[in-house]
Amino acid sequence: MLEVRQLEFRYTGDQPGWRFDFSLARGACIAINGASGSGKSTLLNLLGGFLAADSGTISWDGQRIDSLPPWHRPFTSVFQEHNLFEHLDVQTNIGLGMHPGLRLTKDQKARISDSLASVGLAGYERRLPGDLSGGQRQRVALVRTLLRSQPVLLLDEPLTGLDDQARQGLHQLLLEQKASGSAIVLASHDSQDREVLADSQLNL
Amino acid sequence: MAAFPATTNRAPLSRPFWHTLPGLLVAGGLIALTLAGLGALIWQARQPDVSELWNSPYLRNVIAFTLRQAVISTAISLALGILVALALLRQSAFPGRKALLRVMELSLVLPTIVAVSGLVACYGREGTVTQWIGHWLSYEWNLYGINGIVLAHVFFNAPLAGRILLQSLESVPAPRRRVASQLGLRGWWHWRAVDWPAIRPVLPGAGALVFTLCFTSFAIIMTLGGGPGATTLEVAIYQALRFEFDFGQAAMLAVVQLIICGLLWAFMARGDFSANLSPQRSFAGAIPRPDCGVIHRITDRLLLLAFSVFLLLPLIAILARGLPSLSEVVFGDGNALQQLLTASLRSFSIALPAGALSVAAALAILGLGTVRIPAVKKLSNLTPAIPLMVPPIVLGTGLFLLLRPGLGDISQGLALVALINGLMALPFTLQLLKEPFNGLDRASLNLADQLGVLGWYRWRWLHWPRMRAPLSLAMAYGTGLSLGDFGVIALFGSPAEPTLPVLLYQQMGSYRVELAAATALWLIASLGLVFIGFNALGRSKAPSGAQQLSLERLAEMRHA
């Protein structure tokens, strides 16, 4: 259970700030609604630990996590773009999610290849991100997310700008992930994404 | 599902103090070294009689000559630089333009002593040009003394000034140039309306830079000057230390030099001229200048041709004289070769550690820059300026005085040379590494944070693949700078155990011109080997776009 209580943040003194308050169970998905500039990305950055909140708490399973650094939080983020290290190949990009120093066992390497194959990217291990299409890059990012198996996914417009076929494939993947117990925080402009994935809504 | 709190594999060296500690050690060490050096100077400087500065004719002469040669050299370098820059600007279709610009960059890496040996081969008593001219004219030309000193300074600094000024001229906004083009401005009015306003903000900075370089030049004065009539402060310090053992006087002169340089730096910092030295990329395109007429076409090209000859002649002379005598050395009785190889070995055993030291120190300082404490960040910005502000001979003098009682062993002296050479190179290696190191975008950093790619892992997977090429260039540059150093080694080294530049100096001093040419060529070849070798090491196997580094970048940062 992810609980966000009275989480407040403002960028500079005189601007109006934000306040977030919601909770999310395992296996559920909450959609964050709002126009651009309404604070969707701010919320996801606060959760990920890339911004520090002014006040309020974030807890996971009853344990405070708001003072933990990003690498100790139970989250994995997928953004609209820039999810991959451009100078590293696909296998390394995914592998760094499984071990931050890429100390991978044979078994883990096999799982990377299997997962790539399951999203239609068999044999792409040695490709650099620059050679892939936008949809392929997002699939690689999602494969890393799934193999990292952190309990909460933070998705910031992950499917924006992709064609319909790619979207459907990725919807499928995310639904499977949800069914296996992942909690998902989804920020998306797209009503179809929200209808397919979300169980509840948070309006900013 | 993973357990929480996650038992992340903690990355080695990821604790915060690994970012801070090495940098703090380097910064602290550098500051301590500088303070100790300066402190030793000031402590010694109390003993001599300060009134000697204006009472002793020798010291008065030295100070006056230092100023005089620096002023003349700066004036000629700037004037020639402006003319060449204007000519290059007007003649954008000049066939050798790119090659000439490359040659103008060469002065950044060419060791002073090598260039001097080339100049001697051309303009010395036995020089090609001297004899050729002497054949036609009965003019008695003497390279040694102020003639040669100014000539050598112009050889090094006119290309430098020319490049800086060309960059500022090229940065004139296109609309203003279009207006000038439409109005048909030419001659004096074009200069007043377009060129002078572009040059004016850069000129004081460029002038101060060239003046400092001429004011503190050492190798050129040592080889082409000498005698009480042509000695500068830098050389007087050296002589006081090495021959007269008059440490008090050396300290006093070092303080005088530091004060004059410091005043200049303070002036630069106040006017913020240094900021204007950083080049901007121009997208000028070809807006025809009204003054591209036939007459300018001819005079400009003649000037550029003459300038090219002036820059290339010494290099050609080294090559032409060096090749045959080098083969003689290699295939000769073996004595000269033995000497050359020993000197090379000694040079490299100083230069490689110096290069490695400067690169390691630069990385430590960059690591300090990632810490989010403002004071620490500031320290990482300020530290690298120290070696620029305190001339190496001043630092060296201080350390010499401080360590003198214990400095018995020659190898300790050489280690000290490597240390000071490494520190001298620090500002430049740092400039080369800064951009690639800080070039990771926010998104990648956040991603790395979330994945726990920290410490050693971050270095290995994020920085290292992107920094191989810049690191090797920085290493090559640091090594090259030390390889060509003649100032610090003259202070601490022993004449009986020369490095390559010292050997070259000795051969020139005893007029063994052929041997000197061979050594000069050998030194250039070693330098080329360093750059080629490190370049090969730095080339990554995977093709990567973001590794475009060339001498041109080096030139830009040197001006910045």
Side-chain angles (χ1 to χ4, degrees):
Chain A
M1 183 79 149
L2 175 71
E3 283 180 282
V4 176
R5 294 286 165 243
Q6 312 288 339
L7 195 66
E8 289 188 40
F9 178 79
R10 61 176 64 201
Y11 278 102
T12 48
D14 40 349
Q15 274 181 354
W18 287 283
R19 172 182 287 196
F20 305 102
D21 198 292
F22 66 92
S23 62
L24 179 66
R26 282 176 195 267
C29 171
I30 187 168
I32 319 282
N33 301 325
S36 42
S38 62
K40 295 194 297 272
S41 296
T42 304
L43 172 58
L44 292 180
N45 280 329
L46 284 169
L47 291 177
F50 307 127
L51 287 174
D54 299 330
S55 63
T57 63
I58 308 169
S59 331
W60 174 251
D61 286 350
Q63 205 175 335
R64 287 277 293 274
I65 58 170
D66 40 69
S67 58
L68 293 180
W71 49 93
H72 285 154
R73 298 192 184 200
F75 301 139
T76 300
S77 303
V78 180
F79 303 98
Q80 184 178 343
E81 48 192 359
H82 304 305
N83 289 301
L84 304 178
F85 299 117
E86 295 294 324
H87 62 284
L88 300 175
D89 64 24
V90 165
Q91 187 184 29
T92 311
N93 260 294
I94 298 172
L96 284 177
M98 302 171 83
H99 184 285
L102 209 68
R103 303 251 163 80
L104 299 182
T105 61
K106 262 203 182 118
D107 180 46
Q108 282 174 312
K109 280 183 190 160
R111 277 172 63 206
I112 293 176
S113 296
D114 292 347
S115 305
L116 278 175
S118 73
V119 297
L121 294 175
Y124 275 60
E125 286 85 346
R126 291 279 155 237
R127 300 280 197 97
L128 287 173
D131 303 335
L132 306 182
S133 73
Q136 288 171 329
R137 293 157 69 97
Q138 288 308 72
R139 276 183 267 168
V140 172
L142 274 178
V143 165
R144 180 178 60 209
T145 308
L146 306 188
L147 290 179
R148 254 197 109 203
S149 52
Q150 291 289 354
V152 184
L153 306 189
L154 307 177
L155 307 181
D156 190 358
E157 306 280 358
L159 309 179
T160 306
L162 303 186
D163 62 60
D164 277 346
Q165 209 186 341
R167 295 170 83 89
Q168 275 161 19
L170 294 174
H171 281 159
Q172 200 51 44
L173 266 178
L174 287 170
L175 285 174
E176 281 169 21
Q177 194 63 19
K178 213 175 89 169
S180 74
S182 286
I184 300 179
V185 181
L186 172 74
S188 175
H189 277 106
D190 189 273
S191 55
Q192 199 198 347
D193 287 353
R194 296 200 294 264
E195 271 167 33
V196 174
L197 298 170
D199 311 300
S200 58
Q201 314 270 332
L202 175 68
N203 292 309
L204 297 181
Chain B
M1 207 80 341
F4 179 81
T7 49
T8 325
N9 309 289
R10 193 174 236 295
L13 310 184
S14 65
R15 294 192 187 278
F17 77 72
W18 285 112
H19 285 245
T20 329
L21 192 68
L24 281 181
L25 280 179
V26 169
L30 190 55
I31 291 171
L33 218 57
T34 311
L35 287 183
L38 289 179
L41 275 186
I42 290 163
W43 168 66
Q44 286 278 351
R46 275 207 210 111
Q47 297 166 4
D49 186 3
V50 180
S51 67
E52 251 185 56
L53 275 179
W54 49 90
N55 285 335
S56 146
Y58 167 71
L59 291 185
R60 259 206 331 255
N61 267 345
V62 164
I63 295 174
F65 182 78
T66 311
L67 286 169
R68 188 157 68 101
Q69 61 84 18
V71 168
I72 296 174
S73 304
T74 308
I76 296 180
S77 298
L78 286 184
L80 191 56
I82 290 177
L83 289 177
V84 166
L86 281 173
L88 279 170
L89 192 70
R90 282 191 289 253
Q91 308 303 322
S92 51
F94 180 63
R97 190 175 190 270
K98 266 207 173 121
L100 178 56
L101 284 173
R102 276 289 117 81
V103 174
M104 284 165 77
E105 285 161 11
L106 237 145
S107 63
L108 295 174
V109 283
L110 194 66
T112 329
I113 190 95
V114 170
V116 168
S117 80
L119 288 170
V120 169
C122 291
Y123 308 105
R125 205 161 300 148
E126 307 282 311
T128 327
V129 178
T130 316
Q131 291 191 334
W132 190 69
I133 289 180
H135 191 73
W136 300 100
L137 303 166
S138 57
Y139 173 65
E140 273 294 316
W141 157 265
N142 185 7
L143 181 67
Y144 296 91
I146 189 150
N147 289 345
I149 291 171
V150 170
L151 185 75
H153 281 160
V154 171
F155 176 82
F156 269 101
N157 294 312
L160 182 71
R163 279 191 52 89
I164 296 175
L165 296 172
L166 180 63
Q167 266 160 356
S168 70
L169 282 170
E170 280 181 338
S171 70
V172 170
R176 191 184 302 168
R177 270 195 273 190
R178 273 191 215 110
V179 170
S181 181
Q182 225 159 38
L183 295 177
L185 293 184
R186 59 186 68 215
W188 168 249
W189 284 106
H190 193 282
W191 166 257
R192 272 206 54 186
V194 181
D195 299 332
W196 175 242
I199 288 180
R200 199 179 48 189
V202 193
L203 209 54
L209 179 67
V210 173
F211 184 87
T212 320
L213 290 176
C214 297
F215 190 80
T216 60
S217 95
F218 180 74
I220 289 174
I221 319 290
M222 280 289 279
T223 40
L224 298 176
T231 295
T232 58
L233 277 173
E234 191 103 352
V235 174
I237 293 172
Y238 165 78
Q239 281 166 346
L241 281 180
R242 287 305 298 255
F243 298 119
E244 290 148 29
F245 301 100
D246 187 347
F247 302 117
Q249 192 179 66
M252 185 171 67
L253 294 177
V255 170
V256 170
Q257 172 163 341
L258 190 66
I259 288 173
I260 295 180
C261 285
L263 283 178
L264 205 65
W265 271 92
F267 172 71
M268 291 259 295
R270 216 188 49 157
D272 201 24
F273 294 123
S274 54
N276 291 324
L277 286 180
S278 62
Q280 294 121 356
R281 280 263 149 265
S282 63
F283 310 97
I287 295 164
R289 286 173 62 110
D291 55 354
C292 284
V294 183
I295 297 177
H296 264 306
R297 223 177 121 86
I298 296 170
T299 53
D300 282 347
R301 286 176 186 225
L302 278 178
L303 174 70
L304 291 183
L305 206 65
F307 192 60
S308 309
V309 170
F310 172 60
L311 293 184
L312 285 176
L313 217 51
L315 300 178
I316 295 172
I318 292 173
L319 202 67
R321 289 195 179 201
L323 266 182
S325 55
L326 188 59
S327 66
E328 217 166 276
V329 166
V330 171
F331 300 110
D333 59 357
N335 206 355
L337 181 64
Q338 179 72 34
Q339 212 176 14
L340 197 60
L341 290 181
T342 324
S344 306
L345 200 65
R346 201 170 288 122
S347 269
F348 273 100
S349 66
I350 294 172
L352 286 173
L357 175 75
S358 74
V359 168
L363 285 177
I365 300 250
L366 284 175
L368 209 55
T370 63
V371 177
R372 291 203 183 129
I373 306 165
V376 174
K377 233 181 177 136
K378 200 166 187 181
L379 191 67
S380 93
N381 285 335
L382 285 181
T383 312
I386 295 177
L388 284 179
M389 283 190 290
V390 184
I393 195 126
V394 172
L395 188 63
T397 311
L399 291 178
F400 187 91
L401 295 177
L402 203 66
L403 303 176
R404 180 170 37 102
L407 209 64
D409 193 350
I410 186 73
S411 63
Q412 285 171 345
L414 295 188
L416 203 57
V417 172
L419 176 71
I420 297 179
N421 280 345
L423 294 183
M424 274 160 52
L426 176 64
F428 306 114
T429 49
L430 192 72
Q431 200 65 36
L432 279 174
L433 296 177
K434 200 176 201 164
E435 208 181 281
F437 185 83
N438 294 330
L440 275 176
D441 53 312
R442 194 70 249 163
S444 295
L445 291 176
N446 283 349
L447 183 59
D449 273 353
Q450 191 170 62
L451 300 182
V453 182
L454 307 165
W456 167 250
Y457 294 155
R458 179 170 299 203
W459 168 252
R460 170 67 188 86
W461 294 107
L462 263 58
H463 291 304
W464 172 245
R466 299 160 41 94
M467 288 185 70
R468 272 179 76 133
L471 271 173
S472 58
L473 183 64
M475 183 69 195
Y477 191 68
T479 308
L481 212 61
S482 171
L483 204 60
D485 165 69
F486 180 64
V488 184
I489 184 70
L491 200 59
F492 289 105
S494 144
E497 301 195 3
T499 59
L500 281 175
V502 173
L503 182 67
L504 178 53
Y505 170 74
Q506 290 169 345
Q507 288 165 340
M508 283 167 65
S510 52
Y511 298 102
R512 281 173 293 172
V513 186
E514 303 303 319
L515 267 183
T519 308
L521 187 61
W522 181 263
L523 185 47
I524 291 184
S526 310
L527 210 61
L529 197 72
V530 165
F531 274 86
I532 291 169
F534 279 113
N535 185 35
L537 277 182
R539 204 172 298 142
S540 55
K541 280 149 254 161
S544 172
Q547 304 190 335
Q548 279 288 318
L549 274 162
S550 65
L551 265 185
E552 193 164 354
R553 268 232 34 218
L554 201 63
E556 285 173 8
M557 65 153 224
R558 185 76 180 253
H559 301 164

